[in-house]
Short mmCIF file of all heavy atoms in Angstrom, two decimals:
data_model
loop_
_atom_site.label_atom_id
_atom_site.label_comp_id
_atom_site.label_asym_id
_atom_site.label_seq_id
_atom_site.Cartn_x
_atom_site.Cartn_y
_atom_site.Cartn_z
N VAL A 13 -6.78 -9.59 28.01
CA VAL A 13 -5.46 -9.29 27.35
C VAL A 13 -4.81 -8.12 28.04
O VAL A 13 -5.52 -7.00 28.11
CB VAL A 13 -5.65 -9.16 25.81
CG1 VAL A 13 -4.38 -8.61 25.28
CG2 VAL A 13 -6.10 -10.38 25.14
N ALA A 14 -3.59 -8.21 28.52
CA ALA A 14 -3.04 -7.07 29.29
C ALA A 14 -1.80 -6.52 28.59
O ALA A 14 -1.30 -5.54 28.99
CB ALA A 14 -2.66 -7.66 30.69
N ASP A 15 -1.20 -7.20 27.51
CA ASP A 15 -0.12 -6.75 26.88
C ASP A 15 0.05 -7.28 25.52
O ASP A 15 -0.73 -8.06 25.01
CB ASP A 15 1.15 -7.05 27.73
CG ASP A 15 1.27 -8.62 28.09
OD1 ASP A 15 0.53 -9.43 27.38
OD2 ASP A 15 1.96 -8.98 29.01
N LYS A 16 1.13 -6.88 24.81
CA LYS A 16 1.31 -7.31 23.44
C LYS A 16 1.47 -8.81 23.34
O LYS A 16 0.82 -9.37 22.36
CB LYS A 16 2.59 -6.59 22.88
CG LYS A 16 2.90 -6.96 21.41
CD LYS A 16 4.20 -6.30 20.95
CE LYS A 16 4.65 -6.90 19.64
NZ LYS A 16 6.01 -6.34 19.32
N PRO A 17 2.20 -9.46 24.09
CA PRO A 17 2.27 -10.97 23.97
C PRO A 17 0.87 -11.59 24.10
O PRO A 17 0.58 -12.53 23.39
CB PRO A 17 3.19 -11.43 25.09
CG PRO A 17 4.10 -10.23 25.30
CD PRO A 17 3.17 -9.03 25.16
N GLY A 18 0.12 -11.12 25.02
CA GLY A 18 -1.32 -11.64 25.14
C GLY A 18 -2.15 -11.36 23.89
O GLY A 18 -2.94 -12.19 23.46
N LEU A 19 -1.95 -10.18 23.37
CA LEU A 19 -2.67 -9.84 22.13
C LEU A 19 -2.26 -10.78 20.99
O LEU A 19 -3.14 -11.30 20.26
CB LEU A 19 -2.45 -8.36 21.73
CG LEU A 19 -3.02 -7.95 20.38
CD1 LEU A 19 -4.54 -8.00 20.46
CD2 LEU A 19 -2.49 -6.60 19.97
N MET A 20 -0.97 -10.95 20.81
CA MET A 20 -0.42 -11.81 19.79
C MET A 20 -0.97 -13.28 19.98
O MET A 20 -1.37 -13.96 18.90
CB MET A 20 1.04 -11.84 19.71
CG MET A 20 1.64 -10.45 19.28
SD MET A 20 1.09 -9.96 17.64
CE MET A 20 1.48 -8.22 17.72
N ASP A 21 -0.93 -13.81 21.22
CA ASP A 21 -1.44 -15.06 21.42
C ASP A 21 -2.96 -15.18 21.08
O ASP A 21 -3.40 -16.19 20.52
CB ASP A 21 -1.21 -15.54 22.97
CG ASP A 21 0.28 -15.84 23.21
OD1 ASP A 21 1.07 -15.93 22.24
OD2 ASP A 21 0.60 -15.83 24.45
N ARG A 22 -3.72 -14.20 21.49
CA ARG A 22 -5.22 -14.29 21.27
C ARG A 22 -5.45 -14.16 19.76
O ARG A 22 -6.29 -14.89 19.21
CB ARG A 22 -5.84 -13.05 21.97
CG ARG A 22 -7.32 -13.04 21.97
CD ARG A 22 -7.96 -14.22 22.90
NE ARG A 22 -7.42 -14.19 24.16
CZ ARG A 22 -8.00 -13.56 25.17
NH1 ARG A 22 -9.03 -12.82 25.06
NH2 ARG A 22 -7.44 -13.69 26.37
N CYS A 23 -4.65 -13.40 18.99
CA CYS A 23 -4.81 -13.32 17.56
C CYS A 23 -4.45 -14.62 16.91
O CYS A 23 -5.19 -15.06 16.03
CB CYS A 23 -3.89 -12.22 16.95
SG CYS A 23 -4.56 -10.55 17.33
N ALA A 24 -3.35 -15.19 17.35
CA ALA A 24 -2.91 -16.51 16.78
C ALA A 24 -3.97 -17.58 17.02
O ALA A 24 -4.28 -18.38 16.08
CB ALA A 24 -1.59 -16.97 17.42
N GLU A 25 -4.52 -17.58 18.17
CA GLU A 25 -5.56 -18.60 18.50
C GLU A 25 -6.85 -18.37 17.82
O GLU A 25 -7.38 -19.28 17.12
CB GLU A 25 -5.81 -18.63 20.03
CG GLU A 25 -6.87 -19.57 20.57
CD GLU A 25 -7.18 -19.43 22.01
OE1 GLU A 25 -6.28 -19.00 22.76
OE2 GLU A 25 -8.25 -19.74 22.38
N THR A 26 -7.30 -17.18 17.82
CA THR A 26 -8.62 -16.80 17.30
C THR A 26 -8.68 -16.90 15.79
O THR A 26 -9.62 -17.38 15.22
CB THR A 26 -9.08 -15.50 17.77
OG1 THR A 26 -9.16 -15.43 19.19
CG2 THR A 26 -10.45 -15.05 17.19
N LEU A 27 -7.54 -16.39 15.23
CA LEU A 27 -7.54 -16.38 13.72
C LEU A 27 -6.92 -17.63 13.13
O LEU A 27 -6.68 -17.68 11.90
CB LEU A 27 -6.74 -15.19 13.26
CG LEU A 27 -7.35 -13.82 13.69
CD1 LEU A 27 -6.49 -12.66 13.44
CD2 LEU A 27 -8.73 -13.59 13.09
N GLU A 28 -6.57 -18.57 14.04
CA GLU A 28 -5.92 -19.86 13.52
C GLU A 28 -4.80 -19.66 12.67
O GLU A 28 -4.60 -20.23 11.59
CB GLU A 28 -7.09 -20.72 12.76
CG GLU A 28 -8.28 -20.99 13.64
CD GLU A 28 -9.35 -21.66 12.79
OE1 GLU A 28 -9.07 -22.18 11.67
OE2 GLU A 28 -10.57 -21.64 13.20
N LEU A 29 -3.92 -18.77 13.17
CA LEU A 29 -2.73 -18.48 12.42
C LEU A 29 -1.68 -19.59 12.50
O LEU A 29 -1.74 -20.38 13.44
CB LEU A 29 -2.02 -17.15 12.92
CG LEU A 29 -2.86 -15.86 12.77
CD1 LEU A 29 -2.25 -14.72 13.48
CD2 LEU A 29 -3.26 -15.64 11.41
N PRO A 30 -0.85 -19.80 11.49
CA PRO A 30 0.09 -20.92 11.43
C PRO A 30 1.05 -20.91 12.61
O PRO A 30 1.38 -19.84 13.21
CB PRO A 30 0.74 -20.82 10.14
CG PRO A 30 0.43 -19.41 9.59
CD PRO A 30 -0.75 -18.93 10.33
N ASP A 31 1.69 -22.02 12.86
CA ASP A 31 2.63 -22.16 14.00
C ASP A 31 3.80 -21.24 13.80
O ASP A 31 4.46 -20.78 14.76
CB ASP A 31 3.13 -23.61 14.05
CG ASP A 31 2.14 -24.57 14.51
OD1 ASP A 31 1.08 -24.11 15.18
OD2 ASP A 31 2.23 -25.81 14.31
N TRP A 32 4.13 -20.93 12.56
CA TRP A 32 5.29 -20.06 12.29
C TRP A 32 4.96 -18.61 12.45
O TRP A 32 5.84 -17.71 12.25
CB TRP A 32 5.86 -20.34 10.90
CG TRP A 32 4.92 -20.30 9.78
CD1 TRP A 32 4.32 -21.50 9.19
CD2 TRP A 32 4.28 -19.26 9.13
NE1 TRP A 32 3.50 -21.16 8.21
CE2 TRP A 32 3.40 -19.75 8.18
CE3 TRP A 32 4.46 -17.84 9.24
CZ2 TRP A 32 2.63 -18.97 7.25
CZ3 TRP A 32 3.67 -17.10 8.33
CH2 TRP A 32 2.86 -17.63 7.39
#
Side-chain angles (χ1 to χ4, degrees):
V13 170
D15 55 17
K16 179 183 169 188
L19 174 66
M20 294 298 162
D21 288 345
R22 189 70 52 90
C23 287
E25 177 185 335
T26 302
L27 300 171
E28 301 173 18
L29 298 177
D31 291 339
W32 49 260

